[in-house]
Amino acid sequence: MRTRHAFLIIFGLLNFLTIQAQNDTVKILAIGNSFADDGIEYLDEIARSAGKHIIVANTYIGGCSIERHLNNARHDKHDYSYRKNVDGQYTQEKGKSLLEALKDEDWDYIVFQQVSSLAGQYSTYFPDLDELMDYVQKNVTNPHVQYALQQTWAYAKDSKHPGFFRYGKDQLAMYEDVVFTYSQVARKKNITIIIPTGTAIQNARSSSLGDTLCRDGYHLNLQYGRYTASCTWFEILFGEPSTGISYRPDGVTEQQATIARQAAHAAVICPNEITDLSHL
């Protein structure tokens, strides 16, 4: 198991080196929602601290599912807030379409995810994801684009989110269902890159941070919760250990940053199981 994950890290690094050789700026588009926003919030700052130059964007609709993304694509709906970070500066344009986002840059990575409440429900991915990916593939401008999935996280134990009932209001059950489902989806779609954000968050919950990684029961804490997620994105996409990241956001203590980096790194090494960080 660990050997296979080590191979995936090396594979990710080779992907990055190939992309870097083609283009000094790595361009990442999330077809997501607020959970994608949580994942990429600090990705630019982390990347720049490591000497990388990126463009990262999200086609944002709160609570957007794969089914809704597909419906928007079918009917060219201009329902998105298009959030984009270039050189550390975020812009937001409302009323944008998925097609406009796909054509905006020669994206190196395009990251899909399911809405969090359905993330552990395999039947909700297909056939919609098939058609959505076909649409994306027909409209991207970079023939070497890499596709990825963001593995979302389980809710806080006391979450009041109505979707939590699908998992018996059991955090561990939700986590296990989400991890298993994303693995199965990736296998079916031949996607080799899974960003194990859900496992990173669960790892961090085993530390002294406890079940404080969410700010409202499901969205991530604005400081170390989001930082944990962004560290995970960085390590997967750039092939460099998050434990070596120097940047930490304002409001994140050195101890919290250490836990976030270790949680992310452990998730990349073992993306489908929790690593006990109770010593931190």
Side-chain angles (χ1 to χ4, degrees):
M1 181 69 74
R2 288 179 183 270
T3 300
R4 185 175 75 86
H5 297 321
F7 170 78
L8 291 177
I9 295 170
I10 295 169
F11 181 75
L13 177 58
L14 291 175
N15 280 339
F16 168 69
L17 292 175
T18 301
I19 289 169
Q20 190 177 46
Q22 296 168 345
N23 185 350
D24 287 339
T25 300
V26 177
K27 301 175 182 179
I28 305 154
L29 175 67
I31 298 178
N33 50 41
S34 57
F35 274 48
D37 263 5
D38 279 350
I40 65 176
E41 177 64 26
Y42 297 117
L43 184 57
D44 176 78
E45 291 90 340
I46 291 170
R48 284 190 287 126
S49 74
K52 320 295 184 188
H53 186 204
I54 70 171
I55 294 173
V56 58
N58 183 24
T59 52
Y60 175 88
I61 297 174
C64 195
S65 64
I66 290 171
E67 180 182 27
R68 184 171 179 185
H69 284 302
L70 175 59
N71 187 59
N72 289 345
R74 283 172 171 169
H75 302 287
D76 196 33
K77 291 191 174 184
H78 288 60
D79 288 351
Y80 292 98
S81 289
Y82 181 54
R83 298 178 176 178
K84 184 178 181 183
N85 187 320
V86 180
D87 295 326
Q89 298 296 317
Y90 262 109
T91 58
Q92 178 172 318
E93 297 179 80
K94 295 184 178 180
K96 303 296 283 186
S97 69
L98 182 57
L99 181 62
E100 288 173 321
L102 292 172
K103 299 290 188 183
D104 186 43
E105 299 281 355
D106 295 329
W107 301 108
D108 297 303
Y109 294 104
I110 294 179
V111 183
F112 300 89
Q113 66 174 60
Q114 179 60 289
V115 62
S116 62
S117 62
L118 300 178
Q121 312 289 306
Y122 182 83
S123 63
T124 67
Y125 289 77
F126 300 105
D128 295 341
L129 183 59
D130 292 324
E131 186 176 341
L132 179 62
M133 288 191 68
D134 286 345
Y135 175 85
V136 170
Q137 289 166 346
K138 289 175 183 176
N139 288 289
V140 291
T141 57
N142 179 2
H144 305 292
V145 64
Q146 300 278 325
Y147 297 105
L149 297 170
Q150 178 185 217
Q151 174 204 86
T152 54
W153 49 91
Y155 298 156
K157 291 178 180 178
D158 61 353
S159 178
K160 301 300 190 294
H161 194 294
F164 204 17
F165 286 96
R166 290 190 173 93
Y167 309 94
K169 299 191 70 175
D170 184 316
Q171 183 183 92
L172 185 59
M174 184 177 185
Y175 165 73
E176 290 174 345
D177 284 353
V178 169
V179 166
F180 179 77
T181 299
Y182 270 104
S183 296
Q184 294 299 105
V185 171
R187 185 175 292 111
K188 178 176 173 63
K189 297 303 297 177
N190 294 315
I191 294 174
T192 59
I193 304 170
I194 298 178
I195 304 169
T197 316
T199 296
I201 296 303
Q202 209 63 35
N203 289 346
R205 284 170 170 157
S206 74
S207 75
S208 59
L209 294 178
D211 199 19
T212 65
L213 276 288
C214 291
R215 64 185 187 267
D216 57 5
Y218 46 102
H219 292 109
L220 291 182
N221 169 291
L222 296 176
Q223 287 78 40
Y224 52 82
R226 282 182 160 184
Y227 182 59
T228 302
S230 292
C231 286
T232 312
W233 280 64
F234 174 80
E235 182 160 343
I236 284 289
L237 297 182
F238 290 89
E240 296 185 9
S242 52
T243 49
I245 292 169
S246 59
Y247 168 81
R248 62 180 169 93
D250 291 340
V252 175
T253 68
E254 188 56 53
Q255 180 186 20
Q256 291 166 347
T258 297
I259 292 170
R261 295 166 189 153
Q262 291 283 357
H265 183 61
V268 173
I269 299 300
C270 295
N272 297 330
E273 60 187 69
I274 302 167
T275 299
D276 183 8
L277 300 181
S278 59
H279 61 287
L280 294 176

